[in-house]
Amino acid sequence: MQYMLTLYSEEAGWNRLTETQQQQAVASYMAYTEALKNAGALVASNRLQPSSSATTVRITDGKSQVLDGPYSDSKEQIGGYFLIDVLDLDAALTWAARCPGAAHGIVEVRPIWCMGASSQASKNQLAKGEQLTTA
């Protein structure tokens, strides 16, 4: 089953690190990504540009409004993600705990609802999702 590991952290935190600390952080993310690849769990991953580069679109009264900046103003921003394919939620949580981002921010784990799946597969995914939220 696929899970999105969404990484939240304070963007300004990176600039407060020394060059050595930044190099260590990059190395830890590279090692984590390599471990995901070696386990056959990595589907995709990317780092996002700063939230100041975001553009928000909203429909109000049937008209599109385009706003500069992120959707929400918060202390922590989405910095990137890992899309993984693992056996179950326990495996996804194990990978999330190993993510370097968990040490300086938050890693949200959310199952993917595959919209392109067959009708039966979608029903199975929904049933699994309901089990996860009620367990």
Side-chain angles (χ1 to χ4, degrees):
M1 184 164 184
Q2 290 188 349
Y3 292 87
M4 178 73 73
L5 308 183
T6 307
L7 286 58
Y8 293 84
S9 64
E10 185 184 349
E11 286 178 341
W14 179 258
N15 294 330
R16 289 194 297 263
L17 298 177
T18 66
E19 186 175 333
T20 300
Q21 290 171 321
Q22 288 179 351
Q23 291 171 351
Q24 290 171 342
V26 168
S28 66
Y29 275 102
M30 290 176 68
Y32 176 71
T33 302
E34 192 63 29
L36 282 167
K37 286 179 187 176
N38 290 341
L42 183 66
V43 176
S45 70
N46 272 303
R47 183 176 174 189
L48 300 177
Q49 293 188 15
S51 61
S52 60
S53 68
T55 304
T56 305
V57 178
R58 175 182 302 179
I59 304 294
T60 304
D61 296 326
K63 294 183 182 181
S64 178
Q65 294 179 335
V66 179
L67 307 168
D68 290 334
Y71 170 68
S72 64
D73 188 21
S74 65
K75 180 181 175 185
E76 295 173 327
Q77 295 78 32
I78 300 174
Y81 69 90
F82 289 90
L83 179 60
I84 62 173
D85 194 348
V86 293
L87 183 61
D88 56 21
L89 178 61
D90 289 337
L93 293 173
T94 299
W95 280 109
R98 290 179 61 184
C99 180
H104 60 83
I106 296 168
V107 178
E108 177 183 81
V109 178
R110 191 181 299 190
I112 298 296
W113 184 356
C114 190
M115 300 299 289
S118 71
S119 146
Q120 185 58 46
S122 294
K123 288 178 187 175
N124 290 344
Q125 277 191 319
L126 182 57
K128 286 180 185 177
E130 289 172 352
Q131 289 173 351
L132 292 175
T133 57
T134 58

